[in-house]
Amino acid sequence: MKSFALALLASFAVVGASQAQQSPPPQSIPQGGETVFVQAGRLLADPASGVVLRDKTLVITGGRVTEIRDGFVGQGNVVDLRQAFVLPGLIDSHVHLTSQQNPNARLMGVTESDADRAILGAQYARRTLMAGFTTVADLGGSNNAVFALRDGIAGGQIPGPRVIASGSSVSIHGGHGDANGYSEEILHILSGESICSGPEDCMRAVRTQVRAGADVIKITATGGVLSNTAAGLAQQFTDAELAAIVEVGHRMGRRVTAHAHGVDGINAFLRAGGDSIEHGTYLDNESIRLFRDNDAYLVPTLLAGDFVARVASSPGNFFTPAQTAKALEAGPKMLDMAARAHAGGVRIAFGTDSGVSAHGDNAQEFALLVRAGMTPLEAVQSATVVAAEHLGLANEAGRIAVGMPADIVAVDGDPLADVTVLEDVDFVMRGGVVHRND
């Protein structure tokens, strides 16, 4: 039996290679007077309703849906999905497109340039798109690489999902998000402008990220599993720093989300008016009340928790001792956390933290959400209408409706009966361009 590490490394190569072999080059849909007709045997146009329509034709012009007709109609530019289950393009609310965990990750952190990371990001963005995710939020990475990737996709130069990007995380000196575990000389080079201490300095860091091009502000309210420091998983920013960050972020028109494991950091950030929590491992009943009272979202990233626990407990573990201890502590607790949050009525948006796990495996999160108590429909909603609301994209993503971009995926089988069929997407259209049609 192959070791976990060998299987992991093989998966990094196989995911991209198999998709490249199976997927034709992107096919531009006519952008002028011509129209394309997508014939859908089963259609979940609005996941909020849960209603599956039968035998419909989506009429698409200029990259947007212009009509939804009864029956199978159209001639010329016809996409035959009459035997498929069609639904909106999926949304992953937490990825890191310009990196991916592997045994050489720490070395790559000091040998790769921003240009290298952008090139890797283009590869990972394509894998993500081929897996059916037409929108993502990239939460933490080099400003230059992430923003260039986002803009290249938006401009049509690079195939990939629509990207909402935070760029570098706002973090405290020495905390999760800062450089840790390198020599003193390297630390000063790697520590960037988004690292801060004190309310005033943290306000500066937020403004600097907005100036650099951030769509959303992402902070690290607590320690993190993969920072190479034995600093725990509890709150790291002070309450005053958190309040200053949220205030200035909102003043500058940005939503503010927080990486947070420890309950003290979760609750302090929610009390400060934060919009969402990434991970949420140690949330408690007070957290659940604060989520509901503040209309905040939880992005539980169960796939990341599952992944780090498996790596840390495997013979091929490539984490450092500090990372291993935190992975074994936090990873196994995340499924129960999501179950308690869901039972407590917290709004859950789909997010994987991909870049921890392999890009292209994003849909494995669905099965974990169902294990945490969600129905398959609720899991699909978390990656469509709920995630779209969470990211402020309700009029651009998450549904198939007249006037909205033609972001469409299709699978064999019925994801409302077996959500794991979403791990094998057969058709991907993003903004009226066909990227996959197996």
Side-chain angles (χ1 to χ4, degrees), residues 121-183:
Q123 177 186 21
Y124 295 146
R126 185 176 184 278
R127 289 186 189 178
T128 303
L129 180 64
M130 294 302 179
F133 289 82
T134 56
T135 299
V136 300
D138 189 294
L139 300 181
S142 160
N143 282 351
N144 290 338
V146 172
F147 296 153
L149 178 64
R150 174 197 63 190
D151 296 345
I153 293 172
Q157 292 93 357
I158 304 168
R162 174 191 296 106
V163 177
I164 303 299
S166 72
S168 300
S169 298
V170 175
S171 308
I172 66 161
H173 289 96
H176 183 65
D178 196 3
N180 290 287
Y182 295 103
S183 69

Side-chain angles (χ1 to χ4, degrees), residues 302-303 335 350 361-376 379-380 382 415 418-423:
L302 301 181
L303 184 57
L335 200 66
F350 184 104
D361 289 348
N362 311 57
Q364 292 178 11
E365 180 86 8
F366 285 111
L368 294 168
L369 290 170
V370 170
R371 284 178 58 191
M374 298 180 84
T375 66
V380 170
S382 77
D418 177 9
V419 76
T420 64
V421 302
L422 292 170
E423 296 176 18

Side-chain angles (χ1 to χ4, degrees), residues 45-48 88-89 91 135 383-385 388 393-394 396-400 404 407:
D46 184 1
I91 303 170
T135 299
T384 52
V385 288
L393 296 173
E396 291 291 308
R399 296 178 293 125
I400 299 173
M404 293 189 66
D407 293 351

Side-chain angles (χ1 to χ4, degrees), residues 237-322:
F237 280 104
T238 67
D239 289 0
E241 288 168 336
L242 292 172
I245 288 168
V246 173
E247 178 187 359
V248 74
H250 287 171
R251 282 182 180 274
M252 299 195 76
R254 300 299 189 271
R255 295 175 64 81
V256 185
T257 191
H259 155 109
H261 288 286
V263 67
D264 49 358
I266 293 168
N267 293 353
F269 179 73
L270 292 174
R271 291 190 192 102
D275 299 297
S276 53
I277 293 288
E278 315 291 325
H279 315 307
T281 307
Y282 291 94
L283 59 73
D284 62 7
N285 290 335
E286 174 69 3
S287 312
I288 291 172
R289 183 188 68 77
L290 288 167
F291 272 110
R292 293 198 306 253
D293 289 351
N294 295 355
D295 292 327
Y297 291 82
L298 170 66
V299 183
T301 65
L302 301 181
L303 184 57
D306 177 75
F307 179 87
V308 298
R310 286 188 287 120
V311 171
S313 59
S314 75
N317 177 25
F318 53 80
F319 292 156
T320 67

